[in-house]
Amino acid sequence: MFSKRRKSNRAEYPIPAPAAAPSPPPSIELPEDLTANILQRLDAEEIIVSAMLVCSTWWRVCKNPAIWRVIDLDYRRCQQSDDFDNIRSAVDFDIIWRSAVDRSQGQLLELKLAYLEAEDGILNYVAERSSQLRCLTLERYFGRDDVAWTDAIKKFTQLEELHYIIMPEFDIIDFETIGTSCPMLKSFTYNEFCCEQSEEEDDLDDGVRFSVRYGVAIGKTMHNLCHLRLWALETKNEGLEAILNGCHSTFGDAMVLI
């Protein structure tokens, strides 16, 4: 004879369902081309230091060379408040610009470098890896090394725009090197921070002022210029005539002399 199973006095509680996984943030679900469009609006430093570490999707998008066709690098965005941190900032910036150039995988078209205090081989590094570069802007790049500059500019054979803003002075050979090395140059900006003429340069034997020779060098070598901006560079009619006669394109209102 079987005894009846005794009922348990324990209350029966339902087993809780596992918590639902959190839904991904809306940014993750965006198409990658739209995500790339958004990320391209950030500075290169922001992308490398923070944005690309947000998630695997952004990491993958940031590895696309297309996002690095335009690079804007400004050392001030890496600077810290004290001297020790500034040493670290220089190291960090070196890592950042190398990473940005490497990620472009030869597709870099436009580069801006601002407030660099040392050469560090950056121009030659770019020149050796970015043969398609079309636009180069150097602003307050006080660490320019003349030899490195000359070696690099000779490799930018596809350059169409060069903007040289508040920088160490060019000499005549620099102008001629730019013109002969960059035959496709269409837009040129020159704004140096010191352009005083010496008395010796004012008394050239041929009677032409030293600054006029800049115009002669431009007209002799930069035949395809369409836009020219010269700041704080005194010249005379001889220099302007040399530019206008040497450049095959019609400037119209595109020449600015300040």
Side-chain angles (χ1 to χ4, degrees), residues 21-75:
S23 58
S27 59
I28 302 301
E29 299 178 346
L30 292 175
E32 289 196 3
D33 58 343
L34 181 56
T35 301
N37 184 283
I38 294 172
L39 293 176
Q40 282 177 309
R41 302 172 191 273
L42 300 175
D43 298 320
E45 298 91 345
E46 291 179 297
I47 296 176
I48 292 174
V49 173
S50 57
M52 64 185 299
L53 305 178
V54 168
C55 61
S56 59
T57 299
W58 284 21
W59 175 273
R60 183 171 61 254
V61 171
C62 291
K63 289 181 66 177
N64 186 346
I67 206 173
W68 300 101
R69 289 175 180 165
V70 177
I71 298 177
D72 180 349
L73 292 165
D74 191 324
Y75 180 72

Side-chain angles (χ1 to χ4, degrees), residues 149-150 153-154 170-181 210 213-214 217 221-222:
W149 158 260
T150 301
I153 201 67
K154 289 179 179 179
F170 274 166
D171 59 25
I172 303 302
I173 295 177
D174 287 323
F175 277 90
E176 293 177 346
T177 300
I178 292 169
T180 55
S181 302
F210 179 70
R213 296 172 59 195
Y214 284 87
T221 61
M222 304 182 191

Side-chain angles (χ1 to χ4, degrees), residues 121-176:
I122 184 170
L123 283 180
N124 263 301
Y125 192 90
V126 172
E128 292 171 356
R129 292 161 176 79
S130 307
S131 60
Q132 300 182 48
L133 191 70
R134 297 293 191 272
C135 178
L136 175 62
T137 300
L138 302 175
E139 180 177 352
R140 297 182 183 270
Y141 185 4
F142 298 121
R144 194 196 82 175
D145 177 90
D146 290 341
V147 175
W149 158 260
T150 301
D151 289 344
I153 201 67
K154 289 179 179 179
K155 300 173 185 176
F156 292 131
T157 57
Q158 302 299 309
L159 204 64
E160 297 179 0
E161 296 184 34
L162 175 61
H163 306 293
Y164 192 86
I165 303 169
I166 313 296
M167 299 278 288
E169 183 181 8
F170 274 166
D171 59 25
I172 303 302
I173 295 177
D174 287 323
F175 277 90
E176 293 177 346

